[in-house]
Amino acid sequence: MLPAQQGYDRAITVFSPDGRLYQVEYAIETVRRGTIAVGIKCKEGIVIAVEEKPRKLQISDVAQKIFQIDDHIGVAAAGYIPDARSQVDNARYFSQSNQMIYDEAVEVETIAKHLADQCQQYTQYAGVRPFGVALILGGVVHDKPELYLTDPSGTYISYDAIAIGSGSDQVTDFLEKTFKEEDLSLDDASALASAGIYLSSEDKEGTSHIRMAHIKKETGLYELVSDEKIAEYAKTAKEKYPHDKN
């Protein structure tokens, strides 16, 4: 144990003398060690994509790190995935309650704030631990694509494009250099997301490790992308963003 910590990492409710909550920082480190997840907003909707590494005998028809919250909202997760499932279930219940009470689809920011509030609650009470997962929430509300990030500290921020998980700093730098929302179609954004995953992943070939979903502005509906379409996007990504030549 580092001398500076001196036991301050043993309880979630105790600040260290330099104003840090070590358990929250450990939870954020859990996110950094998770596989990469990418979210991109474009003029035609939202693209969320993740890297999944199935074992040889695993039945991988169902995505483990991409979830649907409502007809118009999807989530990509990085970190401790059981915590992601818990938050997704909470978000689904909240979304359905909003529909029943107000008779309208819930906004993406409302979901993001609700989940972030829950994360923050788990940083200030003894006997609990922070959620060890970050979420990228994307959706289309009133014909407007929206993209948000939540993290274990209880922060939620709106982005045009963002990456979380292992290698996310490198991928985010790549997105900052290449992202142009006004010129980006849904297909272009999907290729860009694929390129981001290839940049971070150890697996530079094939697409069996990539899962992707779209929320289209035209329909306002969440839909998983087929393996065939992902292969097309991956081919475009390799042609347009040849990382190995950098």
Side-chain angles (χ1 to χ4, degrees), residues 5 20 31 34 52 75 79 81 125 159 166 181 187-188 233 244:
Q5 292 178 221
R20 299 167 68 181
V31 174
E52 292 185 8
V75 168
I81 300 305
Y125 292 110
Y159 283 93
S166 177
E181 183 182 2
D187 289 343
D188 293 334
Y233 296 141
D244 57 332

Side-chain angles (χ1 to χ4, degrees), residues 83-246:
D83 282 1
R85 291 203 308 270
S86 174
Q87 286 207 296
V88 166
D89 285 345
N90 185 298
R92 287 169 175 166
Y93 180 83
F94 182 83
S95 178
Q96 292 169 11
S97 297
N98 187 93
Q99 181 71 46
M100 293 180 67
I101 295 171
Y102 301 108
D103 195 26
E104 63 180 13
V106 68
E107 296 190 3
V108 183
E109 182 178 4
T110 305
I111 291 281
K113 182 180 183 300
H114 173 73
L115 295 180
D117 287 347
Q118 186 184 48
C119 287
Q120 192 279 332
Q121 290 285 312
Y122 276 57
T123 69
Q124 67 181 50
Y125 292 110
V128 298
R129 64 161 176 79
F131 285 97
V133 68
L135 303 176
I136 296 173
L137 297 99
V140 175
V141 181
H142 306 307
D143 295 326
K144 180 182 178 183
E146 296 181 356
L147 191 71
Y148 283 86
L149 169 70
T150 68
D151 73 11
S153 71
T155 300
Y156 76 98
I157 303 172
S158 178
Y159 283 93
D160 287 325
I162 190 62
I164 54 177
S166 177
S168 58
D169 290 341
Q170 183 183 15
V171 177
T172 298
D173 288 343
F174 164 69
L175 293 173
E176 288 175 353
K177 294 175 183 177
T178 56
F179 176 83
K180 294 179 181 179
E181 183 182 2
E182 62 275 9
D183 300 327
L184 217 57
S185 68
L186 200 66
D187 289 343
D188 293 334
S190 300
L192 185 60
S194 299
I197 290 177
Y198 277 122
L199 179 62
S200 169
S201 175
E202 296 177 358
D203 191 349
K204 307 297 183 184
E205 301 296 332
T207 58
S208 61
H209 60 299
I210 299 176
R211 294 287 183 271
M212 188 180 296
H214 292 162
I215 303 96
K216 295 181 179 179
K217 181 179 177 181
E218 181 181 4
T219 62
L221 298 177
Y222 169 99
E223 61 181 42
L224 282 173
V225 179
S226 68
D227 293 340
E228 292 76 15
K229 290 295 292 183
I230 292 175
E232 293 178 14
Y233 296 141
K235 182 180 179 181
T236 302
K238 289 183 178 181
E239 294 172 353
K240 194 171 182 179
Y241 310 103
H243 299 305
D244 57 332
K245 297 181 181 180
N246 289 345

